[in-house]
């Protein structure tokens, strides 16, 4: 259970958001509505001005108690819009990076399972520089999963891809939701993607929550 | 004519040793200062930046003289290093290495700083979310991605150290077998009658060493750039 109650001023823009999320929740809203700033706060990359963020029983941020857990201790997997694979490491090393940094024991079974799930076995020896956009995103998803996160943040993971690549990755995300038990926060402005992946929706516009509930919120937005 | 005398070999050995030690010893400081200037905001940053660049602008003889009055055997810093670190700089080859390191420091810092500034912060953020603390981010992401600049900085430092003359001769003089480098040996040979042939030999040697250093560094930098582009 993720619960967020934060405020942040970014120049002229102000973000003031409260929501709780379980299982697979979509943050839905047009570009510039503050979704990415919000996930950056959950990941610990951006510091809210005020508020509180907690995950399960742990407080990650609380301005009143001066708690601010740094990103490397949050154990939150983050798939960025542009993949952000480490360019100087091979795909295999990118996948193992989170395990090394968190001091996790080797877990060959899980690794093989995820490599197979995402169909990236043939890429392991390659470097990120010569992967296609779709391959890069699949590796980024695998990398975030292999650190055994408590929560997975996906920030428009398909936005940098063309239509064909999106259709290629969507089924992987659906399988991932069904086969791993990691709760997901999925950020998107595409109702179609959200319909496939999320069970709950939080609608955000201009830095404010304008609705929270089930997938029916999407119909209100599109119809 | 191409037969080198033992004295000339000695000068070559001292030059190489001085340049290598100057480069290796200043590298950690160069990386630290470059990182601070590229990434940190702190009080007096402009002053630190200016201080680092000072040897580039000052006449070398001024730098050499300042070293002489601060690192001489009776000078405070000189006494401190002799007593607590066990290193004597004045009129030793170590002093030549110190002079070369200081003269070359601005070049090294500049090259490394530029490569730190060129790194995408987002990659460092990504590795933090994967569990890497600040030190690990630096060691596994920042530094490897800055490697081309670090190599360039080391080569510039080495090259500058090989060619350094003014500050070195002012600080540690021109003692054959101790502080006489290729540069100061050539200078001596041009001051005596019949020194032309020997001077020419050392001139050729310094051209060969410089050329080899540039070729090797070009190759290393190429490899590093390829690695960091992920190809």
């Amino acid at each position: 259970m993720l619960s967020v109650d934060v405020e942040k001023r970014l120049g002229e823009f102000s973000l003031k958001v409260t929501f709780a999320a379980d299982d697979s929740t979509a943050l839905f809203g047009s570009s510039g509505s503050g979704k990415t700033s919000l996930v950056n706060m959950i990941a610990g990359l951006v510091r809210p001005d005020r508020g509180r963020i907690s995950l399960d029983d742990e407080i990650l941020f609380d301005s009143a108690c001066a708690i601010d857990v740094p990103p490397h201790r949050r154990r939150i997997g983050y798939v960025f819009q542009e993949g952000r694979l480490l360019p100087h490491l091979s795909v295999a090393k990118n996948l193992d990076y989170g395990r090394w940094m968190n001091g996790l024991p080797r877990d060959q079974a899980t690794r093989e399972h995820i490599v197979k799930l995402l169909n990236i076995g043939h890429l392991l020896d390659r470097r990120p520089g010569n992967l296609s956009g779709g391959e890069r995103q699949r590796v980024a998803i695998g990398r975030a999963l292999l650190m055994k996160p408590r929560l997975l943040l996906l920030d428009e993971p398909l936005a940098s891809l063309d239509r064909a690549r999106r259709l290629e990755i969507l089924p992987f995300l659906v399988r991932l939701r069904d086969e791993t038990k990691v709760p997901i926060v999925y950020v998107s402005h595409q109702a179609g993607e959200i319909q496939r992946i999320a069970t709950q929706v939080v609608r955000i516009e201009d830095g404010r929550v304008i609705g929270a509930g089930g997938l029916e919120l999407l119909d209100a937005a599109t119809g | 004519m191409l037969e080198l005398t033992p004295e000339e070999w000695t000068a070559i050995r001292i030059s190489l040793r001085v340049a290598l030690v100057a480069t290796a010893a200043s590298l950690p400081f160069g990386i630290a200062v470059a990182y601070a200037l590229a990434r940190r905001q702190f009080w007096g940053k402009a002053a630190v930046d200016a201080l680092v660049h000072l040897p580039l602008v000052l006449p070398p003889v001024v730098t050499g003289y300042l070293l002489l009055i601060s690192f001489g055997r009776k000078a405070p810093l000189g006494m401190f290093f002799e007593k607590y670190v066990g290193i004597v700089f004045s009129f030793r080859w170590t002093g030549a290495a110190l002079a070369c390191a200081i003269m070359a420091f601005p070049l090294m810092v500049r090259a490394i700083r530029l490569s730190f500034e060129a790194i995408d912060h987002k990659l460092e953020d990504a590795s933090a979310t994967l569990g890497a603390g600040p030190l690990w981010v630096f060691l596994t992401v920042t530094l490897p991605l800055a490697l081309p600049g670090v190599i360039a900085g080391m080569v510039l430092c080495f090259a500058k150290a090989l060619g350094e003359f003014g500050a070195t001769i002012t600080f540690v003089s021109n003692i054959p077998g101790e502080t006489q480098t290729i540069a100061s040996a050539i200078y001596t040979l041009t001051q005596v009658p019949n020194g032309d042939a020997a001077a020419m030999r050392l001139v050729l040697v310094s051209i060969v060493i410089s050329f080899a250093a540039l070729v090797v560094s070009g190759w290393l930098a190429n490899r590093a750039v390829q690695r960091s582009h992920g190809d």
Side-chain angles (χ1 to χ4, degrees), chain A residues 43 45 71-72 75-78 80 82 84-89 94 97-98 101-102 127-130 143-144 147, chain B residues 120-134 136-137 139-142 144-145 226-231:
Chain A
L45 298 176
H72 66 281
R75 252 338 234 301
I76 294 178
Y78 194 160
F80 300 89
E82 349 75 90
R84 299 195 198 174
L85 300 180
L86 300 175
H88 55 300
L89 301 178
N94 265 285
Y97 189 87
M101 289 304 147
N102 287 290
R127 284 183 180 278
N130 54 28
R143 178 177 73 168
M147 69 177 281
Chain B
D120 188 356
H121 289 318
K122 292 173 170 180
L123 292 172
E124 295 167 314
D125 279 353
S127 82
T129 66
L130 287 163
W136 283 112
V137 171
L139 291 176
T140 61
V141 179
T142 317
L145 290 177
Q226 270 171 12
R227 271 179 66 87
S228 59
H229 282 190
D231 296 328

Side-chain angles (χ1 to χ4, degrees), chain B residues 111-178:
Chain B
I112 300 176
R113 176 184 179 172
L114 284 174
S115 68
F116 277 142
E117 283 170 348
I119 292 173
D120 188 356
H121 289 318
K122 292 173 170 180
L123 292 172
E124 295 167 314
D125 279 353
S127 82
T129 66
L130 287 163
L135 181 63
W136 283 112
V137 171
F138 180 76
L139 291 176
T140 61
V141 179
T142 317
L143 203 51
L145 290 177
L147 201 58
V150 172
I151 292 172
M154 288 174 73
V155 171
L156 281 171
C157 179
F158 183 80
K160 174 74 190 172
L162 267 186
E164 217 298 309
F165 176 71
T168 309
I169 207 165
T170 312
F171 179 32
V172 293
S173 180
N174 182 359
I175 307 162
E178 184 64 44

Side-chain angles (χ1 to χ4, degrees), chain B residues 47-69:
Chain B
V48 171
D49 198 12
L51 188 68
V52 165
H53 282 89
L54 212 51
L56 209 58
V57 195
L58 282 176
V61 63
V62 172
T63 307
Y65 182 69
L66 289 173
L67 284 171
L68 192 62
I69 58 175

